């Protein structure tokens, strides 16, 4: 009983994830957890956003103002979605990106809700609601992938290897080589 309580408290304080944080991403090994498992492992906001298309409040979410280098993965599956190298301040209060890190891990869907037709973004493998994409972003794409922090898990560059995402480390090494700090 004591171990279960400790595990439950750890999941609540960490902002639980349905994906094991040490295995990285493997589409061959991913099977979406049941609804009951998702309810048990995700924090309530994560569950509502990813499974019921909710939107978290602007400026009151975990990553809207995160400036650390790293990648963002689906909180349910761990599939790589976005990179801090493509993140920008959209002044909307949500994390915004110019493009996906792995285009094959996101899919678009027409969303006719809220009195306008928008383009919803969902993760390809877990089918998590992530946010929406708009055509008012900066160059080079002109796109703004406006995502919910609750649908994402951030992996800092110094944890990429340990968490199974080491293949993305070179992106950050190339960025440092291209733009060295004085």
């Amino acid at each position: 009983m004591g171990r279960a309580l400790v595990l439950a408290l750890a999941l609540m304080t960490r902002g639980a994830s349905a994906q094991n944080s040490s295995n990285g991403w493997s589409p061959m090994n991913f099977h979406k957890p049941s609804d009951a498992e998702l309810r048990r492992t995700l924090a309530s906001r994560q569950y509502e956003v990813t499974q019921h298309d909710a939107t978290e409040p602007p400026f009151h979410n975990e990553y809207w103002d995160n400036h650390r280098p790293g990648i963002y993965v689906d909180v349910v599956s761990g599939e790589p979605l976005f990179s801090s190298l493509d993140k920008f301040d959209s002044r909307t209060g949500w994390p915004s990106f110019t493009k996906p890190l792995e285009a094959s891990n996101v899919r678009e869907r027409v969303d006719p809700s809220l009195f306008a037709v928008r383009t919803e973004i969902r993760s390809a493998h877990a089918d998590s609601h992530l946010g929406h994409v708009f055509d008012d972003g900066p160059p080079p794409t002109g796109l703004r992938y406006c995502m919910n922090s609750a649908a994402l898990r951030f992996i800092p560059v110094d944890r990429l290897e340990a968490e199974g995402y080491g293949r993305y480390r070179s992106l950050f090494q190339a960025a440092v080589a291209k733009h060295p700090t004085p």
Side-chain angles (χ1 to χ4, degrees):
M1 179 74 176
R3 276 179 72 180
L5 181 59
V6 168
L7 178 60
L9 287 172
L11 289 175
M12 286 181 357
T13 59
R14 184 177 164 266
S17 169
Q19 193 267 334
N20 182 335
S21 66
S22 63
N23 295 338
W25 165 244
S26 171
M28 301 299 286
N29 296 330
F30 176 71
H31 300 287
K32 185 172 180 176
S34 68
D35 188 67
E37 178 75 8
L38 290 171
R39 281 184 186 274
R40 186 177 64 75
T41 58
L42 295 174
S44 66
R45 181 171 284 166
Q46 291 173 319
Y47 177 80
E48 289 303 316
V49 167
T50 61
Q51 305 308 300
H52 294 289
D53 308 341
T55 300
E56 64 194 356
F59 304 104
H60 296 282
N61 58 75
E62 191 170 2
Y63 303 126
W64 78 272
D65 198 28
N66 180 27
H67 299 287
R68 296 183 302 156
I71 67 170
Y72 296 82
V73 302
D74 183 313
V75 73
V76 172
S77 65
E79 57 197 289
L81 300 169
F82 298 98
S83 165
S84 63
L85 297 170
D86 303 309
K87 190 172 187 279
F88 68 99
D89 182 3
S90 64
R91 298 182 183 352
T92 61
W94 290 285
S96 297
F97 306 87
T98 58
K99 65 181 182 180
L101 175 60
E102 296 285 349
S104 62
N105 288 342
V106 299
R107 60 186 178 87
E108 297 182 359
R109 185 166 86 177
V110 174
D111 177 5
S113 65
L114 293 181
F115 312 108
V117 175
R118 300 178 297 168
T119 303
E120 178 189 14
I121 300 298
R122 299 186 75 83
S123 63
H125 299 87
D127 194 35
S128 298
H129 169 73
L130 303 172
H132 293 84
V133 64
F134 303 94
D135 61 4
D136 60 0
T141 65
L143 298 174
R144 173 173 53 99
Y145 286 83
C146 188
M147 302 295 105
N148 287 285
S149 291
L152 306 173
R153 184 169 72 87
F154 178 72
I155 303 171
V157 169
D158 63 353
R159 296 282 311 149
L160 290 174
E161 295 286 341
E163 296 205 24
Y165 297 92
R167 69 179 183 263
Y168 296 107
R169 190 168 185 76
S170 63
L171 296 174
F172 297 94
Q173 292 166 337
V176 168
K178 190 175 181 180
H179 305 288
T181 7

